[in-house]
Amino acid sequence: MDNKSVKRLKQMHGSGNGANPGKLYFAFWGAFALLYIVGIALPLRVTPHYYNRMSRIWNWTEVMIFFLAVYYIIKTRVFQWRQAVIALLLGAVCLISLFRDPRTADIIVTSICVTATFYAGCRLFELANVENASLNINIVGSIRYFGLGAMISIPLAFLNALYFSFTGQIRLGNVLHSAVFALKPAIAEEVIFHFFLLAYTYFIFSGKEESKIKVYIYALLVVPHELLHYPDLFVKSPIMAIMMCVLNCVFFGLPMALLMKKKNLQMAAGMHWFVDFVRFAVGF
């Protein structure tokens, strides 16, 4: 992208020209809150495609973030082949879940969203002049960081499995299938809700001291993603939903966000993958 295009795009969003970038930040929160409230209040029979409120709000949020990503892809105009190929590969891996989950349309939407958000995230990191460490790691390094993330998550993975054991009976499943199918949530959730939103926050606050935007970064990376797990529980027990959201923010959401920000996507995905792998392997 030429310097004039970069300057024009930044000026449109209030970075570098004295405008208030917080408007874009809180606009995202407002849109998410609206989707969340409508998703809870709207009877499920109105949208029979979704079997619970979580799947409905989750899908809506992915679509919202997808359009945000596409907007920035169009605005940046310059095409990067390497980033596009990696984005397509990550999206394709998420299609593995088609063999496990009957919600074909939702999985395809998620895969497309992964492709768009990864590519857009790479472009926004560049515009914000923030090093995208994830893209500068070779295949061997990616595998190593993925493994390190998995090792770090071992205590959390078994803590998570222990929690689910209180809601049902443990049934040991196919380990290989569990390992493969856990790739989808690991990649999709880390790319869409952590990688892209981290790049988005850096971009809209570009020019600001990082120490002054840390709270904004971690709030956006942790809270919406965790809230998406509990809309059905909010209907049954709002207090319990808030408690669970806080606990999961502390034990799962924040550690993954820290790995994304301070390390790389590979390490965060590895941590996420092992947590879900153990859960799938014990039948949940």
Side-chain angles (χ1 to χ4, degrees):
M1 182 184 297
D2 59 81
N3 291 334
K4 289 183 179 179
S5 298
V6 172
K7 184 177 179 181
R8 182 170 61 250
L9 184 57
K10 286 188 174 183
Q11 286 179 341
M12 286 175 59
H13 296 89
S15 48
N17 67 341
N20 181 12
K23 290 181 180 179
L24 280 172
Y25 180 82
F26 290 109
F28 180 92
W29 276 102
F32 173 73
L34 180 62
L35 285 180
Y36 203 85
I37 293 170
V38 172
I40 288 179
L42 196 68
L44 278 174
R45 64 177 179 275
V46 177
T47 55
H49 168 69
Y50 302 106
Y51 64 92
N52 60 19
R53 288 175 174 83
M54 185 184 84
S55 62
R56 179 168 66 184
I57 298 175
W58 199 297
N59 189 241
W60 288 357
T61 304
E62 286 183 339
V63 171
M64 178 186 74
I65 296 175
F66 166 77
F67 282 117
L68 182 62
V70 169
Y71 169 79
Y72 284 110
I73 291 173
I74 294 172
K75 287 296 180 182
T76 55
R77 298 180 184 176
V78 176
F79 187 75
Q80 298 288 343
W81 279 103
R82 181 168 178 262
Q83 296 172 3
V85 169
I86 296 173
L88 286 169
L89 288 174
L90 291 174
V93 171
C94 293
L95 292 175
I96 290 172
S97 283
L98 288 172
F99 298 98
R100 181 178 187 270
D101 196 320
R103 297 174 299 155
T104 303
D106 290 353
I107 294 170
I108 292 174
V109 167
T110 297
S111 298
I112 294 172
C113 188
V114 167
T115 299
T117 51
F118 180 82
Y119 183 80
C122 290
R123 309 301 296 128
L124 290 180
F125 274 120
E126 291 180 15
L127 286 172
N129 292 320
V130 175
E131 181 185 3
N132 179 4
S134 305
L135 201 62
N136 298 323
I137 303 172
N138 59 29
I139 295 177
V140 174
S142 295
I143 295 173
R144 182 169 64 88
Y145 277 115
F146 189 91
L148 286 173
M151 289 176 62
I152 291 172
S153 72
I154 290 175
L156 294 178
F158 286 99
L159 177 65
N160 188 54
L162 179 63
Y163 162 74
F164 276 97
S165 70
F166 294 129
T167 64
Q169 185 177 358
I170 291 178
R171 302 182 309 277
L172 295 180
N174 187 301
V175 174
L176 179 59
H177 287 181
S178 299
V180 172
F181 290 134
L183 287 171
K184 186 260 185 180
I187 293 173
E189 294 175 37
E190 291 307 313
V191 169
I192 297 170
F193 298 105
H194 290 161
F195 182 81
F196 173 74
L197 291 182
L198 177 60
Y200 173 72
T201 310
Y202 270 131
F203 172 69
I204 61 177
F205 285 106
S206 57
K208 303 290 184 182
E209 293 181 22
E210 186 169 333
S211 60
K212 295 181 179 180
I213 64 171
K214 281 185 178 180
V215 173
Y216 294 104
I217 290 174
Y218 289 119
L220 192 60
L221 266 59
V222 175
V223 179
H225 178 241
E226 290 304 324
L227 281 172
L228 288 175
H229 293 81
Y230 302 109
D232 296 283
L233 187 56
F234 265 108
V235 174
K236 299 176 182 178
S237 175
I239 294 176
M240 180 61 70
I242 292 172
M243 290 175 58
M244 290 301 301
C245 188
V246 170
L247 287 172
N248 277 277
C249 281
V250 172
F251 287 107
F252 298 99
L254 185 57
M256 292 176 190
L258 283 167
L259 286 180
M260 180 66 70
K261 182 179 180 299
K262 294 184 177 295
K263 294 297 182 180
N264 47 62
L265 170 62
Q266 291 89 328
M267 207 164 177
M271 181 179 190
H272 199 136
W273 169 80
F274 192 76
V275 170
D276 282 329
F277 160 63
V278 172
R279 177 166 64 90
F280 292 166
V282 296
F284 300 108

